Amino acid sequence: MNSFSINRFGKTLRWVVSVNFRKLLMWTIGAALVVFLGEMLLFKLGAAKTPKDMLEIFSVLCTLLLVIASFVLISSIVSSIKEKRKREAFLMLPSTNLEKYLSLVAYTTVISIACIFLAIVVGDSLRMLWLWASGYSNEMMNTTIPTRHNGETYYWYLSAIPQVLHNLTPNNHLGSYITSDGKMKVVYMCTNGYLIVRRVMIVAFLVWIHSLFTFSGTLLRKYAFVVSGIVVFFIMWLNGWAEHYGLRLYDHSYYHEYGREGFNNFETVVCMVNSSVASVELLLLTSFTIFNYWASFHIFKGFQLISNKWTNYDILKR
C-alpha cells in the first residue's frame, strides 16, 4: 500500500476515535463543568457590575481556555497511542504511514478541539439556563449600553459564545509604533495590499504554530506543550522587538528630515515597512512549516513499541 486512500484513512480515524471515545467524552463533560462552575463563581463574586462587562469577562476566559486547550491537544498528537497495547494495535492497522499520521492529526486538531468548543458552548448554556431560571430575566436586571452605532440591550443570561467567536476573528487593528516624542500612534488604515499581506501572515503564523506543536508532540514524550510554548513566546517577542526597533529608526530619520509638518505621512512609511517585513516573515514561516511537518512525519515513520523515555526518536538507531 503506497497510495493514499480516503477510505482507509476514514477507517483509521474511526479506530482512533473509538479507542479513545470514553476518555474524550469524560474530558468534554469535565471541561463543560469547569466552564459552568467558573462562570457561576465569577458571577457570584460580582466580578462584573453590568451584563455587558460580565459577557466580556466570560468571553475572554472562554477564549483563553479554547486557545490553550487547543495547543495542548495539538502537542499531544501521539498521546492517544502512548500505551503499548494501543500503539501495537495502531501500528498493525492495514493502512499506510501517511494515513495513520493524518488520522492522528485529524483527531487532535479537528475532533478534539471541536469537543472542547462544544464543552464551552454547553458550559455557557448551563450558566444561561441557570440565570434565566433563577429570575435574572427580570427587566430590573437588564442594562442598556449604547454602542458605536446604536443602543443594544444586554441581559445577564445572554450567551458569551458570539463574543468568543469575535475574539478569534482578526480585527482591523493593523499595528502601532512609537513616535519620536515618545507617544504611541496606532495605524488603523493602510493600503489594501498591506491588509491582504497582514491577513495572509495571520494564517501563515497559525499554520506554523500548528506545525511546531505537532512536531514537538511527535518528537517529545514529555513537556511537548511547554517546549513549544517557550519557542512561540520567544519568536513573538523577537518579532515584536524587531518591528519596534525598526520603526523607531524610520520614525527618527523621517522626523529629522521632514520635520513636524511632514510627520503625518509617516503612517505610509509604517505600512511600507510592515509589508516588507511581513513578506520576509511569510517566506520564513512557510519554510519552517514545511520542515516541521516533514520532520514530524519522518519521526512518526520510525515509531517503535518501546521508545526513549523522553523522546519518540532514538538518534542512535539511525
Side-chain angles (χ1 to χ4, degrees):
M1 294 183 296
N2 295 323
S3 60
F4 180 82
S5 173
I6 294 294
N7 187 30
R8 289 197 304 265
F9 164 73
K11 292 181 179 180
T12 305
L13 179 59
R14 286 196 297 270
W15 183 91
V16 176
V17 174
S18 62
V19 170
N20 298 277
F21 178 77
R22 180 175 298 180
K23 182 174 66 174
L24 184 63
L25 179 62
M26 295 304 296
W27 275 106
T28 304
I29 296 175
L33 291 177
V34 168
V35 173
F36 169 67
L37 295 177
E39 290 185 351
M40 290 304 302
L41 178 61
L42 290 175
F43 177 79
K44 292 297 182 181
L45 292 177
K49 303 301 181 182
T50 64
K52 184 177 185 299
D53 294 338
M54 179 198 68
L55 292 177
E56 291 180 351
I57 293 175
F58 289 171
S59 66
V60 171
L61 294 178
C62 290
T63 303
L64 290 176
L65 175 61
L66 180 61
V67 171
I68 295 176
S70 298
F71 291 158
V72 172
L73 291 170
I74 294 172
S75 63
S76 60
I77 178 175
V78 296
S79 63
S80 58
I81 56 171
K82 184 171 59 176
E83 300 176 8
K84 181 181 177 180
R85 177 181 58 83
K86 291 183 180 179
R87 179 175 291 210
E88 180 180 9
F90 181 74
L91 296 177
M92 293 289 291
L93 291 176
S95 56
T96 63
N97 289 327
L98 180 60
E99 293 161 357
K100 295 175 183 176
Y101 176 76
L102 292 180
S103 67
L104 294 179
V105 173
Y107 174 74
T108 55
T109 304
V110 179
I111 297 178
S112 298
I113 294 179
C115 289
I116 292 298
F117 181 76
L118 177 62
I120 294 176
V121 172
V122 172
D124 189 65
S125 300
L126 291 175
R127 186 265 309 169
M128 295 167 54
L129 181 61
W130 182 280
L131 294 182
W132 181 83
S134 300
Y136 286 92
S137 59
N138 189 287
E139 289 297 328
M140 297 300 295
M141 301 300 297
N142 300 337
T143 302
T144 301
I145 301 178
T147 61
R148 260 188 255 177
H149 304 286
N150 52 9
E152 186 174 351
T153 303
Y154 291 88
Y155 302 90
W156 291 100
Y157 59 86
L158 286 182
S159 173
I161 301 303
Q163 185 62 35
V164 172
L165 297 176
H166 177 75
N167 295 339
L168 297 174
T169 304
N171 52 31
N172 293 325
H173 178 76
L174 299 181
S176 61
Y177 60 90
I178 304 297
T179 60
S180 297
D181 53 4
K183 297 180 180 180
M184 175 172 287
K185 193 168 185 179
V186 179
V187 179
Y188 285 97
M189 297 300 296
C190 279
T191 61
N192 292 331
Y194 174 70
L195 188 61
I196 295 175
V197 171
R198 188 75 174 185
R199 290 175 177 174
V200 172
M201 275 296 302
I202 294 175
V203 175
F205 183 71
L206 293 177
V207 175
W208 171 75
I209 290 181
H210 180 271
S211 69
L212 177 64
F213 277 87
T214 301
F215 168 65
S216 179
T218 310
L219 173 65
L220 302 177
R221 292 175 62 90
K222 298 181 179 180
Y223 308 117
F225 170 75
V226 177
V227 174
S228 300
I230 294 175
V231 173
V232 171
F233 175 80
F234 175 76
I235 294 298
M236 294 180 65
W237 174 83
L238 185 63
N239 177 71
W241 176 84
E243 287 189 357
H244 170 74
Y245 184 73
L247 289 175
R248 285 292 298 270
L249 292 179
Y250 271 86
D251 176 29
H252 182 76
S253 61
Y254 199 91
Y255 175 76
H256 284 282
E257 182 176 355
Y258 296 99
R260 177 61 62 183
E261 295 181 358
F263 188 76
N264 292 331
N265 296 326
F266 182 65
E267 289 187 4
T268 304
V269 178
V270 173
C271 294
M272 294 174 60
V273 173
N274 284 341
S275 298
S276 301
V277 173
S279 299
V280 177
E281 291 179 344
L282 181 60
L283 179 61
L284 293 175
L285 286 176
T286 304
S287 302
F288 287 133
T289 299
I290 295 174
F291 171 79
N292 288 336
Y293 285 130
W294 173 84
S296 176
F297 180 60
H298 180 74
I299 294 172
F300 174 79
K301 289 193 300 182
F303 268 16
Q304 303 293 329
L305 293 180
I306 300 177
S307 56
N308 189 279
K309 179 180 180 181
W310 296 98
T311 67
N312 288 308
Y313 183 77
D314 192 351
I315 193 173
L316 297 178
K317 295 182 180 180
R318 300 297 185 271

